[in-house]
């Protein structure tokens, strides 16, 4: 077994030189509540499907565990039981869980089974007992790997749902030989969802006697509750968020969502690594969902995709007007509050056609429905979300608009660029890191605006539409955008280094 030797039930510490050897394969346990294609609501599902695969390609043994939700079809994914029911300490008692494995995945993917918490429910989140459900899931995952006799060098936790794992490692499991050498990397995908509960969850989690955590600079309202995300940040060996800019932004009160004082305390352990995309699945040269395939050296097929999109959306072909698409949730965070102030004038004054896909707040459904009725030749709204349709939007549209107020990373702008739709974005988080503004002589890969307001968005759109009228300049921007490498390979190497850094910090107190 890499990393140590079991003697009479105890693991002997590896020598320091072994820790330092960057090439020693690691066992990495990846805990997630979403994973494509089994269960998804957002970007986490795509990341969870791609990063572990990229890590495995670099030589690590990565295993994924998620809950066995009722919506996962056991036949489709050929689930096989790998552990009979095993005990999980929970709320002063013991619950039992089962463990299943998918047989349709190249990497080991396991599912924690619990009928009441997961099997019997239709959805993934938003149940009144989500705190209990995900505490149970996290604890069961740890108990399961012990029974698989597979000792992780590092556990990769995602979001608040698994944020008690680092807390447990410093308390309940601190002197457990099985986990004594296991480091924890805590991955923040979106600080807006923190998992805030009453103190009772500490009892359920078995850590009530380890007390309550208050921070002198955190607001009283957050200090009086249990904030799961905060605990992940406080106890993890390494904290990673999904872009370098977001990693800096969350240290400020403006973006810190109340946790910036805690993040500032842990700054030396906080890193930002950009997400990648699955460039094999999302490849316009091979995508079976498109009307025609194309690549950056031969864009003919793209014209067919453009016409097919107009047809699918039921819009007339206006020839010269750029097609603008959007695919995000209809919410304030995604920029709908500023879009609301300028979409009507844009429809009136800019020679454009729009295809907007998404679901979300009622207010924006009504707003868009109303505009669609008034501008039937220019705007089509699809109140749905479909990945297949998203592919056709990216392939057929000229411009992709993503004006998010804040965006930890964002994946759609990366997909849009790969398919040749030029992004117009608010320069925040991962959008700032991945979209380079067109500022002659810099060709850039898109257009961005700094101030979060409707007029700044309008001005950026006007700029994009102006440049669109110069086909050679537009073609250059498209070449740049389509040519950028957003595959996971380099980001996976960064994560790989951080697992090792985390473990070294845990074992020696030093980064390496
Ligand atoms: C969250 C973030 C998004 C990020 C995704 C995957 O959904 O809001 O910006 O791309 O997680 O990390």
């Amino acid at each position: 077994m890499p990393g140590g030797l079991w003697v009479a039930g105890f693991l002997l510490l590896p020598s320091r030189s072994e820790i330092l050897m960057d090439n020693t394969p690691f066992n990495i346990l990846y805990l997630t509540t979403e994973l494509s294609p089994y269960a998804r609501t957002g970007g986490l599902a795509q990341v969870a499907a791609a990063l572990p695969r990229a890590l495995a390609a670099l030589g690590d043994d990565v295993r994924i565990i998620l809950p066995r939700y009722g919506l996962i079809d056991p036949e489709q994914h050929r689930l096989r039981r790998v552990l009979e029911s095993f005990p999980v300490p929970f709320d002063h008692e013991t619950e039992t869980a089962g463990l299943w494995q998918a047989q349709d995945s190249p990497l080991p993917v396991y599912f924690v089974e619990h009928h009441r918490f997961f099997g019997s429910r239709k959805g993934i989140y938003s149940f009144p007992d989500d705190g209990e459900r995900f505490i149970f899931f996290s604890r069961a995952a740890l108990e399961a790997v012990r029974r698989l006799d597979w000792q992780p060098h590092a556990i990769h936790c995602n979001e608040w749902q698994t944020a008690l794992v680092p807390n447990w490692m410093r308390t309940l499991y601190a002197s457990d030989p099985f986990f004594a050498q296991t480091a924890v990397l805590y991955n923040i995908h979106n600080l807006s969802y923190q998992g805030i509960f009453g103190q009772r969850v500490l009892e359920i989690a078995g850590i009530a006697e380890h007390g309550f955590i208050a921070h002198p600079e955190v607001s009283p309202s957050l200090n009086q509750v249990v904030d799961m995300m905060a605990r992940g940040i406080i106890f993890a060996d390494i904290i990673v968020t999904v872009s370098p800019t977001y990693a800096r932004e969350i240290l400020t009160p403006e973006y810190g969502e109340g946790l910036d004082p805690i993040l500032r305390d842990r700054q030396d352990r906080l890193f930002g690594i950009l997400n990648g995309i699955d460039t094999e699945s999302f490849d316009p040269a091979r995508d079976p969902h498109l009307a025609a395939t194309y690549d950056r050296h031969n864009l003919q097929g793209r014209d067919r995709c453009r016409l097919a999109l107009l047809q699918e959306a039921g819009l007339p072909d206006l020839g010269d007007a750029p097609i603008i698409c959007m695919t995000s949730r209809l919410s304030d965070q995604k920029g709908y509050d500023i879009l609301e102030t300028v979409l009507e004038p844009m429809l009136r004054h800019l020679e454009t056609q729009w295809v907007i896909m998404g679901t979300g707040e009622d207010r924006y459904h009504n707003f868009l429905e109303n505009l669609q009725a008034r501008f039937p030749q220019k705007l089509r709204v699809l109140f749905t979300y479909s990945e297949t349709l998203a592919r056709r939007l990216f392939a057929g549209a000229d411009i992709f608009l993503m004006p998010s107020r804040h965006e930890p990373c964002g994946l759609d702008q990366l997909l849009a660029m790969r398919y040749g739709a030029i992004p117009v974005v608010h320069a925040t988080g991962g959008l700032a890191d991945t979209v380079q503004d067109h500022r002659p002589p810099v060709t850039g890969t898109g257009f961005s605006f700094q101030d979060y307001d409707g007029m700044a968005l309008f001005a950026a759109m006007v700029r994009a539409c102006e440049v669109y009228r110069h086909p050679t300049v537009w073609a250059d921007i498209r070449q740049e955008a389509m040519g950028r490498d957003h595959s996971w390979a380099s980001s996976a190497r960064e994560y790989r280094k951080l697992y090792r850094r985390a473990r070294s910090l845990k074992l020696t107190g030093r980064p390496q």
Side-chain angles (χ1 to χ4, degrees), residues 34 41-48 158-159 187-193 241-243 246 273 275 329 333-334 402 404 406-414 430-431 488 495:
E34 295 185 34
T41 67
L44 172 60
Q46 280 183 50
V47 171
N158 290 292
E159 302 289 60
N187 205 173
I188 302 171
H189 296 262
N190 194 341
L191 204 57
S192 329
Y193 303 99
T241 188
V242 288
S243 70
Y246 191 60
I273 303 180
N275 285 333
R329 214 168 355 100
Q333 190 225 310
K334 295 296 178 187
M402 191 157 172
S404 309
H406 63 91
E407 194 59 69
C409 178
L411 297 171
D412 283 347
Q413 83 279 14
L414 304 179
L431 297 174
W488 266 102
Y495 273 101

Side-chain angles (χ1 to χ4, degrees), residues 202-237:
L202 294 181
E203 268 175 54
I204 293 170
I207 45 178
E209 76 264 31
H210 297 283
F212 202 63
I213 299 171
H215 188 287
E217 287 171 62
V218 163
S219 75
S221 58
L222 269 189
N223 266 339
Q224 284 156 16
V225 292
V226 176
D227 185 312
M228 306 275 246
M229 173 81 79
R231 283 176 181 254
I233 296 166
I234 291 168
F235 292 107
D237 297 298

Side-chain angles (χ1 to χ4, degrees), residues 228-499:
M228 306 275 246
M229 173 81 79
R231 283 176 181 254
I233 296 166
I234 291 168
F235 292 107
D237 297 298
I238 287 285
I239 306 138
V240 182
T241 188
V242 288
S243 70
T245 294
Y246 191 60
R248 283 191 301 275
E249 287 173 340
I250 57 180
L251 298 174
T252 65
E254 190 187 349
Y255 288 93
E257 307 269 356
L259 297 186
D260 48 293
I262 296 177
L263 285 158
R264 285 196 296 274
D265 282 356
R266 305 281 289 163
Q267 232 181 103
D268 57 334
R269 290 171 184 249
L270 173 64
F271 296 83
I273 303 180
L274 268 182
N275 285 333
I277 49 174
D278 181 342
T279 47
E280 269 176 41
S281 162
F282 292 95
D283 181 358
R286 284 184 298 181
D287 193 329
H289 304 288
L290 307 186
T293 53
Y294 58 91
D295 62 36
R296 76 189 255 257
H297 305 295
N298 183 356
L299 286 159
Q300 267 172 22
R302 202 169 195 282
D303 298 334
R304 297 232 332 256
C305 293
R306 193 175 187 278
L307 290 176
L309 175 61
L310 287 174
Q311 203 172 21
E312 185 163 4
L315 290 172
D317 182 7
L318 299 184
D320 290 341
I323 302 175
I324 297 154
C325 75
M326 294 181 72
T327 51
S328 53
R329 214 168 355 100
L330 311 181
S331 68
D332 290 350
Q333 190 225 310
K334 295 296 178 187
Y336 271 88
D337 51 354
I338 57 170
L339 185 67
E340 194 179 28
T341 63
V342 289
L343 184 54
E344 202 226 80
M346 287 200 287
L347 285 164
R348 212 150 6 103
H349 301 298
L350 296 180
E351 212 27 51
T352 50
Q353 287 180 297
W354 296 66
V355 184
I356 297 182
M357 172 170 75
T359 58
E361 294 169 27
D362 285 347
R363 158 167 164 223
Y364 297 127
H365 277 246
N366 298 339
F367 162 70
L368 291 172
E369 231 160 32
N370 181 291
L371 282 182
Q372 176 170 249
R374 289 174 47 209
F375 297 91
Q377 311 252 303
K378 287 186 139 187
L379 170 64
R380 174 66 68 251
V381 191
L382 309 160
F383 293 107
T384 174
Y385 179 83
S386 138
E387 187 191 289
T388 311
L389 210 53
R391 291 166 184 264
R392 295 205 280 263
L393 253 62
F394 300 141
D398 301 293
I399 294 173
F400 171 71
L401 176 60
M402 191 157 172
S404 309
R405 174 188 288 272
H406 63 91
E407 194 59 69
C409 178
L411 297 171
D412 283 347
Q413 83 279 14
L414 304 179
L415 299 175
M417 285 192 274
R418 182 154 171 79
Y419 281 67
I422 300 307
V424 174
V425 301
H426 175 219
T428 182
L431 297 174
D433 290 335
T434 57
V435 178
Q436 189 186 15
D437 195 26
H438 171 72
R439 291 259 167 214
V442 175
T443 306
T445 58
F447 299 83
S448 62
F449 57 94
Q450 298 291 329
D451 294 341
Y452 186 72
D453 67 52
M455 280 323 288
L457 190 170
F458 199 148
M461 284 301 298
V462 169
R463 220 155 39 90
C465 292
E466 274 300 311
V467 176
Y468 181 77
R469 284 149 51 142
H470 300 276
T472 52
V473 184
W474 194 259
D476 287 346
I477 301 175
R478 179 173 281 162
Q479 283 300 316
E480 283 285 322
M482 292 182 78
R484 293 286 160 101
D485 178 9
H486 291 291
S487 62
W488 266 102
S490 67
S491 296
R493 275 194 290 276
E494 295 297 308
Y495 273 101
R496 200 167 186 272
K497 281 191 213 141
L498 288 184
Y499 298 129

Side-chain angles (χ1 to χ4, degrees), residues 51-166:
L51 171 60
R53 240 186 282 168
L55 289 165
L58 296 174
D60 287 339
D61 180 355
V62 193
R63 305 192 183 186
I64 305 173
I65 307 191
L66 73 156
R68 185 176 162 180
Y69 301 110
L71 52 80
I72 297 171
D73 181 346
E75 262 140 51
Q76 185 192 347
H77 301 297
R78 293 185 285 128
L79 300 198
R80 165 176 81 92
R81 184 184 277 286
V82 284
L83 286 180
E84 288 303 328
S85 49
F86 58 94
V88 180
F90 188 78
D91 197 7
H92 304 292
E93 296 189 3
T94 305
E95 287 275 335
T96 50
L99 196 74
W100 295 71
Q101 183 172 0
Q103 293 186 82
D104 64 347
S105 161
L107 290 190
V109 173
Y110 302 103
F111 301 85
V112 165
E113 173 188 53
H114 187 279
H115 182 72
R116 182 161 53 86
F117 284 151
F118 301 113
S120 62
R121 322 259 176 124
K122 285 269 175 283
I124 296 180
Y125 308 126
S126 303
F127 296 100
D129 58 350
D130 276 0
E132 277 111 302
R133 293 172 71 230
F134 294 111
I135 287 171
F136 176 81
F137 161 66
S138 306
R139 191 79 194 263
L142 297 180
E143 292 300 320
V145 283
R146 187 203 290 291
R147 280 169 181 79
L148 292 174
D149 204 14
W150 178 81
Q151 195 179 27
H153 297 88
I155 304 179
H156 185 132
C157 297
N158 290 292
E159 302 289 60
W160 73 259
Q161 287 87 351
T162 54
L164 286 191
V165 170

